[in-house]
Amino acid sequence: MSGLYLVRVGSGARLTQALEKALGGMQVQALAPERIAQGAAGKRLIFAVALDEYGPDGQFTALLRALRQNPGCLAGCCGALIVDGGGELYTKQAAQELALAANMAGCAFMGKPLVEGTASLYNQHILAKQLSLDWYETYVYQIGRLAARLASFTQPKFAAPRLLMLHASSNRRSNTVWLGRETLARLPGRITTQEICLQNGAIYDCRGCSYDACAHFAESSTCFYGGALSDEVLPAIRESDALLLLCPNYNDAVSANITALFNRLTSLLVKQDLFDKYLFGIVVSGYSGSDLVARQLLGAMCLNKTAMLPPNFCLMQTAHDAGTAQHLPGVDGVLDAFAAHIQTVLLQ
């Protein structure tokens, strides 16, 4: 894979200055966003997006459309994201949209691949205090660190990977669970698989303990609220090399128990991050909106919780009535291809 390439979208004086300071000593070449479909494959891409107070502009939309119209144009790429906001809103929305579009075009993302700066840069204040820097200096520091991580990042392979499938449905008629189990059944024996159901009542949501309290219990690999998550789920995540999350669309969002899992992962991350673990997903919508759920999934687990995002991380299907998924046109080929993709990502 080649050196770093900077894809600038939008114009903003603060972002220009921050990039010059953070990347000044690195070998970074410019890649125009309009060339993304022809000249990006195999490169390490830093997407640097400047928003005004109203959010993404036409150039950003044009980039999304180019990525969506050219599946595979980012094959072999690994990406990182910098989003500079003209207001306090829209930075994460833009990052999630761009991450999903790039991922569906073949781009992988290392864990926590986003640096965002809201207009006030207040979102930098906690790290700034830890580093004894002002908010802008912290922003520049984070951009430089992100670029350095991307430059040295390699996607791991495993001789005998362990894949953990998590879902929140005990319904045997679930389309999502059927797709997940069929995927696991197609994986070779070298991949060890485990399935855990986050059943109703088994996963209590995070109650917002102080960081010190969370860190105290994390030292014992547990959480103040204990239960199945501390006893079974977190240890299984800790021992896995890849996660497969099954996410039926509930009102254009993941289910309550999956959300609770996102929130409770803080107690794991205090002691152990997820940088060395891949994230895969299966999203099923009864009518529409699978992209919304996929963006929420990658936003929580990759942009925030540090899991790696392999290219084409998510299988998205539309199926409403029980058993519909089994009769979708070409479903066997879709499942064969998704399982083969997981195998390609994981195995040496």
Side-chain angles (χ1 to χ4, degrees), residues 70-90:
N70 295 277
C73 68
L74 300 188
C77 289
C78 183
L81 305 160
I82 303 164
V83 183
D84 188 80
E88 301 303 297
L89 306 177
Y90 311 123

Side-chain angles (χ1 to χ4, degrees), residues 5-331:
Y5 287 78
L6 182 66
V7 183
R8 283 290 308 269
V9 183
S11 59
R14 186 177 72 178
L15 179 58
T16 298
Q17 294 169 359
L19 289 171
E20 289 175 352
K21 290 185 177 182
L23 307 180
M26 304 182 70
Q27 296 295 320
V28 182
Q29 301 181 55
L31 178 65
E34 56 268 21
R35 292 190 58 243
I36 199 76
Q38 293 80 33
K43 293 178 170 57
R44 298 175 188 265
L45 303 174
I46 302 175
F47 294 96
V49 180
L51 310 177
D52 62 21
E53 61 183 305
Y54 308 108
D57 62 9
Q59 188 182 35
F60 182 85
T61 302
L63 175 60
L64 293 183
R65 290 181 61 83
L67 292 171
R68 292 166 180 168
Q69 290 168 351
N70 295 277
C73 68
L74 300 188
C77 289
C78 183
L81 305 160
I82 303 164
V83 183
D84 188 80
E88 301 303 297
L89 306 177
Y90 311 123
T91 51
K92 277 197 169 68
Q93 172 195 339
Q96 290 180 9
E97 280 193 307
L98 181 52
L100 181 60
N103 183 259
M104 292 175 68
C107 186
F109 288 91
M110 58 190 181
K112 214 169 183 64
L114 169 65
V115 171
E116 57 174 329
T118 59
S120 66
L121 290 180
Y122 179 76
N123 64 312
Q124 304 293 328
H125 82 282
I126 293 178
L127 182 59
K129 185 180 296 185
Q130 296 171 359
L131 297 174
S132 298
L133 299 174
D134 66 32
W135 297 353
Y136 177 74
E137 291 169 339
T138 303
Y139 184 41
V140 172
Y141 166 81
Q142 290 223 74
I143 293 173
R145 186 174 64 171
L146 179 71
R149 287 178 53 222
L150 179 63
S152 63
F153 176 70
T154 57
Q155 298 177 59
K157 298 278 189 176
F158 307 95
R162 297 157 295 182
L163 175 67
L164 172 64
M165 185 172 81
L166 295 169
H167 63 86
S169 176
S170 58
N171 185 352
R172 295 181 180 178
R173 302 171 67 198
S174 166
N175 287 305
T176 317
V177 172
W178 182 83
L179 289 167
R181 289 174 176 166
E182 286 295 311
T183 298
L184 296 191
R186 287 164 163 78
L187 295 175
R190 286 175 59 195
I191 300 178
T192 301
T193 64
Q194 180 181 3
E195 175 184 342
I196 295 180
C197 177
L198 311 175
Q199 295 180 356
N200 290 333
I203 304 297
Y204 301 103
D205 204 352
C206 177
R207 303 298 177 87
C209 291
S210 69
Y211 179 84
D212 290 341
C214 189
H216 170 74
F217 285 97
E219 287 300 317
S220 301
S221 300
T222 186
C223 169
F224 175 81
Y225 297 97
L229 187 133
S230 293
D231 297 339
E232 182 181 11
V233 180
L234 292 185
I237 292 174
R238 190 177 299 113
E239 294 169 5
S240 69
D241 300 304
L243 304 174
L244 173 60
L245 267 65
L246 308 187
C247 300
N249 184 340
Y250 283 84
N251 298 306
D252 295 328
V254 300
S255 67
N257 281 333
I258 295 293
T259 299
L261 172 65
F262 294 161
N263 296 337
R264 291 281 297 279
L265 278 175
T266 300
S267 63
L268 173 65
L269 296 177
V270 167
K271 189 174 181 181
Q272 176 186 336
D273 57 52
L274 306 178
F275 281 114
D276 61 345
K277 303 182 190 304
Y278 285 106
L279 171 68
F280 296 94
I282 295 178
V283 174
V284 178
S285 293
Y287 302 101
S288 63
S290 289
D291 56 312
L292 299 179
V293 179
R295 291 206 300 265
Q296 184 185 11
L297 177 55
L298 73 81
M301 291 298 295
C302 176
L303 303 189
N304 190 318
K305 301 298 185 186
T306 77
M308 291 180 291
L309 204 67
N312 302 105
F313 91 103
C314 191
L315 172 63
M316 290 180 271
Q317 295 288 301
T318 302
H320 184 273
D321 298 332
T324 301
Q326 302 176 40
H327 303 290
L328 291 172
V331 67

